[in-house]
Amino acid sequence: MNTQATSSPQFYLTAPAPCPYLPGEMERKVFTHLVGARATDMNDLLTQGGFRRSQNIAYRPACENCRACLSVRIIAKEFRPNRTMRKVLAANADLTSTVFPAQPSTEQFSLFRRYLDDRHQAGGMSDMSALDFAIMVEDSHVKTRVIEYRLPPEEGSERPGELVAVALTDILSDGLSMVYSFFNTDLHKRSLGTFMVLDHIRRANEMGLPHVYLGYWVNGSQKMGYKIRFLPQEHLMSQGWTRYQPDADPS
């Protein structure tokens, strides 16, 4: 397969495979390679068009009989946390976060493996090795960062506090795209997944970026249900990005 950058991107279509979100459905994806000097601009354009990035590939669903996957982005400056989210922010006020270049660490991989073993034992990433993880983090030709979230250090210790959550994030011209995130699932009372989304909304506002891209939402998929709680948000429909109008604002 030709992976060289050209003046126009070349798109490919995957073979049908079982859908990971809706039982009984088959999925196909259209994808292209994000390489070369234009990778950053292309990632911006494709993300705004409903694509997601995985390593140096941008992809989006191209299923023949289903349109359930909807691209979701939060309108950052209009977002106001509800009561439950304010409790999550308060519960994690002691955490420190640091932004790094997209470089993996042994500590990150250890947390990643614990996360997969607890939450995604049967998923497509369940057998990822340390090398696979390193490629996932490093294989990016766009502006990607790793954000680490840590507990306070132990009293009297010069070592940093325990790593409890990590986000792999692309910085776009119009927002932050949460490529992948994982966390210590034992700390369920902290709702670390929700907290990382809230933190990205804060960061987007501080950077003057209008959106936080969350990837795809599938109505009826339990593993994607959390995305719909961050309002207001837009969904990419046939007529373009459209403000989502829920029946009731979730509390």
Side-chain angles (χ1 to χ4, degrees):
M1 182 180 294
N2 178 19
T3 61
Q4 298 299 314
T6 61
S7 57
S8 298
Q10 300 182 48
F11 291 89
Y12 306 90
L13 189 64
T14 65
C19 176
Y21 306 115
L22 298 177
E25 296 288 346
M26 301 294 288
E27 72 165 0
R28 300 189 77 178
K29 296 175 181 176
V30 61
F31 69 94
T32 189
H33 295 273
L34 291 170
V35 294
R38 298 184 58 207
T40 295
D41 291 341
M42 188 60 60
N43 190 42
D44 273 16
L45 182 64
L46 291 176
T47 301
Q48 292 163 10
F51 281 70
R52 291 288 285 167
R53 185 183 70 80
S54 177
Q55 299 175 37
N56 68 355
I57 289 175
Y59 68 90
R60 67 170 296 172
C63 306
E64 296 178 0
N65 301 312
C66 181
R67 296 293 183 269
C69 289
L70 297 176
S71 295
V72 173
R73 67 185 187 187
I74 303 166
I75 305 172
K77 69 177 182 179
E78 295 184 35
F79 174 81
R80 299 293 183 273
N82 60 30
R83 181 175 58 186
T84 300
M85 293 173 182
R86 290 194 295 271
K87 290 182 179 179
V88 171
L89 289 169
N92 292 285
D94 59 335
L95 297 185
T96 58
S97 60
T98 309
V99 180
F100 295 98
Q103 297 175 351
S105 71
T106 301
E107 191 178 18
Q108 292 169 12
F109 176 68
S110 177
L111 180 62
F112 176 71
R113 278 286 2 144
R114 290 169 57 193
Y115 174 78
L116 290 183
D117 292 343
D118 184 71
R119 292 292 181 90
H120 300 285
Q121 293 181 5
M125 304 172 72
S126 60
D127 60 350
M128 284 181 65
S129 66
L131 177 59
D132 295 327
F133 174 76
I135 293 173
M136 181 181 79
V137 174
E138 292 180 325
D139 194 3
S140 170
H141 294 250
V142 303
K143 192 173 182 181
T144 304
R145 297 292 183 267
V146 171
I147 306 176
E148 293 187 348
Y149 299 86
R150 293 180 179 273
L151 294 174
E154 295 182 6
E155 187 174 354
S157 174
E158 297 182 359
R159 296 172 59 94
E162 178 187 351
L163 181 67
V164 296
V166 176
L168 184 64
T169 303
D170 286 350
I171 302 176
L172 310 175
S173 62
D174 73 330
L176 300 178
S177 177
M178 298 186 69
V179 177
Y180 196 78
S181 59
F182 51 95
F183 51 88
N184 185 338
T185 57
D186 291 337
L187 304 178
H188 54 89
K189 290 184 178 180
R190 285 182 173 267
S191 299
L192 289 167
T194 296
F195 174 70
M196 281 191 283
V197 177
L198 295 172
D199 185 63
H200 277 69
I201 297 171
R202 176 188 65 81
R203 291 176 183 275
N205 279 316
E206 289 180 352
M207 298 169 70
L209 299 174
H211 305 117
V212 174
Y213 288 85
L214 295 184
Y216 301 116
W217 172 67
V218 176
N219 191 9
S221 172
Q222 184 176 0
K223 67 176 66 175
M224 290 189 175
Y226 74 93
K227 297 182 181 182
I228 210 67
R229 300 198 304 264
F230 300 91
L231 301 172
Q233 63 181 235
E234 295 176 324
H235 295 177
L236 185 56
M237 312 298 287
S238 59
Q239 66 270 33
W241 287 100
T242 304
R243 194 179 184 99
Y244 173 64
Q245 299 291 348
D247 294 333
D249 189 346
S251 59

